[in-house]
Amino acid sequence: MYTWHPMIYLDWAATAPPLWQVRAEAFQKAEELYANPSSVHGAGRAARDCIERARRSCADSLGAHPRDIYFTSGATESNNIVFSSFFNRPARGSVVITGIEHPSVYEPAKALEKAGFAVRYIQADSDGVVDPERFAAGVDGDTVLAAVMLVNNETGAVQPVAEITRLIRQKSPRASRRVHIHTDAVQAFGKQRISCDEMGVDSLAASGHKIGAPRGGGILFLNRPLDTLYRGGEQESAVRPGTENLEAIYGLGKAVEIWEEHREEWNEHARELKRLLLERISAIDGACLVGPAGGPAQRHSPFIITVSFPPAPGEVIVRVMSDRGFAVSTGSACSSRGKKNLRVLQNMGIDRGIAGSAIRISTGPATAVSDCDAFCTALERETAALRGRLR
Ligand code: PLP
């Protein structure tokens, strides 16, 4: 299903290698269906049909109606569309998010705070999972927006979104006071069964490139009207106007169909790799597992593991491992170019020294057992050498 890569790639949570079938077909669609999907001639209608097929595939995967699926350029844009729409409201109110959100939720929340909203950041437990009661306690009669991610991108912690939604709805049963509940489902999309309906969320963000689709394709599920900031086009019902990126959208629909078909098999493979990685990494001198990895399976994604080797800085471990031919990261790809951002791990109450030494290992369907074995052998050698140098 996947092409071979010269480096052992263990950074799938940052982006997945393209599924070859999706890439080939997306290129072909770009060539064949070049007409503008808004054009009324036959070529335009063929392009439109292609987009609508992808919309149905994405809706099916999310347990949603196709009319509630809007295509965007990626999850950063989907998250921003939701948060920025609150700037248009005449009245301010309160916003509740977890303190472990991705920057594409956290920073828009900060911007709302600057604009006069009271923003509450709810702390996660030490394993990275947010307590539903604690989150719901942050919601009050003034709350207009609440956001909790489905799977954390740094630790793989699975958040109890459905339970949080249920508790919030119990608190604000009147439709007129209904809190808008948003979830960033990027690290879960395709990989686990999702039902927007069962979760009871009003909006959800997902991204194509994390599951092998081309970059530049994302999803916003939205089942409530929002006065978004965009103006100037009718595409995607004006929620995200602008000529559609047909090949990215086609790829998104195709990739999610493939994940649906292989989900069980690929999850089982990831669980096996995770078992192996946990066993080998726990035996390395100085290794300190971060997040929910050692705990109950339903609390963590099988695709992500975070481990720390204090006092070696996470960036240094990542560079050394890269020199040895392994791609891992320090956490969010958005912060890994510069110094590691410790916000998420510190929110979980993780000691600064441990948080600063953390690396994230993330696998995918093409990761082989031998890749993980080779990685662990090199990691053991390199962290021992680093410890010796840092002494
Ligand atoms: N949310 C989470 C949890 C992510 O992991 C990412 C990507 O790293 C994003 C949002 C941003 O997604 P995109 O790259 O599609 O903008």
Side-chain angles (χ1 to χ4, degrees):
M1 209 55 87
Y2 279 96
T3 45
W4 179 79
H5 291 271
M7 178 174 248
I8 292 186
Y9 189 73
L10 297 169
D11 198 19
W12 291 65
T15 201
L19 283 155
W20 63 260
Q21 186 188 353
V22 173
R23 183 172 48 188
E25 288 180 18
F27 275 132
Q28 195 190 341
K29 295 288 173 196
E31 259 177 40
E32 281 170 9
L33 300 175
Y34 53 81
N36 192 315
S38 297
S39 297
V40 291
H41 46 66
R45 287 204 308 275
R48 163 70 42 214
D49 283 351
C50 174
I51 289 176
E52 296 315 316
R53 264 199 307 277
R55 200 184 310 279
R56 283 194 293 276
S57 299
C58 294
D60 286 349
S61 172
L62 290 171
H65 195 284
R67 72 165 172 260
D68 296 332
I69 301 293
Y70 302 92
F71 289 116
T72 65
S73 65
T76 298
E77 185 176 39
S78 305
N79 287 330
N80 271 275
I81 288 174
V82 172
F83 274 71
S84 61
S85 71
F86 283 81
F87 286 117
N88 274 340
R89 298 202 171 187
R92 293 331 195 199
S94 72
V95 173
V96 185
I97 70 166
T98 77
I100 55 166
E101 295 298 315
H102 185 268
S104 59
V105 165
Y106 189 80
E107 295 301 334
K110 283 265 171 221
L112 286 179
E113 197 171 6
K114 269 201 193 135
F117 288 81
V119 181
R120 287 189 272 281
Y121 303 90
I122 309 299
Q123 205 180 341
D125 287 339
S126 59
D127 68 352
V129 180
V130 175
D131 175 50
E133 303 276 352
R134 191 186 308 142
F135 190 95
V139 172
D140 61 21
D142 272 347
T143 306
V144 289
L145 171 62
V148 53
M149 70 201 316
L150 197 45
V151 172
N152 182 266
N153 50 299
E154 293 194 34
T155 62
V158 178
Q159 306 302 326
V161 178
E163 178 62 1
I164 287 174
T165 302
R166 195 181 60 76
L167 293 174
I168 295 176
R169 299 289 185 230
Q170 268 174 11
K171 281 182 101 170
S172 60
R174 284 198 2 243
S176 59
R177 310 274 317 164
R178 221 173 106 113
V179 179
H180 183 109
I181 305 179
H182 176 73
T183 189
D184 172 343
V186 167
Q187 298 293 343
F189 178 58
K191 299 178 177 172
Q192 70 183 56
R193 183 182 164 273
I194 296 178
S195 168
C196 291
D197 193 32
E198 284 171 21
M199 278 194 299
V201 292
D202 299 298
S203 56
L204 171 148
S207 182
H209 71 96
K210 309 282 186 184
I211 58 165
R215 285 155 218 212
I219 296 174
L220 172 63
F221 158 83
L222 178 66
N223 70 2
R224 261 180 106 171
L226 277 185
D227 184 12
T228 65
L229 290 185
Y230 288 131
R231 299 288 183 269
E234 289 302 316
Q235 295 94 342
E236 297 303 295
S237 309
V239 167
R240 201 285 190 177
T243 303
E244 298 89 339
N245 182 347
L246 182 136
E247 48 272 41
I249 292 172
Y250 171 80
L252 189 43
K254 189 75 199 172
V256 80
E257 282 172 19
I258 293 175
W259 270 91
E260 287 284 328
E261 195 186 330
H262 295 277
R263 182 184 294 144
E264 264 326 296
E265 174 201 336
W266 288 355
N267 266 275
E268 186 43 44
H269 178 62
R271 281 192 288 271
E272 188 195 333
L273 296 178
K274 191 162 186 173
R275 274 193 295 274
L276 179 134
L277 284 165
L278 284 176
E279 197 183 305
R280 294 236 13 219
I281 289 173
S282 311
I284 298 178
D285 236 13
C288 180
L289 285 173
V290 176
Q298 68 275 15
R299 282 171 87 89
H300 56 95
S301 158
F303 298 95
I304 297 175
I305 297 176
T306 302
V307 61
S308 170
F309 294 91
E315 304 87 86
V316 173
I317 306 173
V318 167
R319 280 179 201 281
V320 168
M321 292 307 288
S322 170
D323 291 345
R324 300 290 167 265
F326 300 94
V328 289
S329 72
T330 55
S332 169
C334 304
S335 61
S336 60
R337 291 202 128 257
K339 208 170 152 36
K340 181 167 166 56
N341 186 338
L342 307 184
R343 169 179 57 83
V344 168
L345 299 186
Q346 286 201 291
N347 177 274
M348 295 158 52
I350 307 279
D351 167 81
R352 205 184 157 74
I354 294 178
S357 298
I359 60 165
R360 177 185 69 187
I361 304 150
S362 49
T363 64
T367 310
V369 166
S370 57
D371 295 341
C372 296
D373 260 332
F375 172 76
C376 291
T377 304
L379 186 65
E380 182 163 19
R381 196 178 51 235
E382 298 306 329
T383 50
L386 277 174
R387 243 194 344 275
R389 264 188 270 152
L390 291 168
R391 234 177 235 136

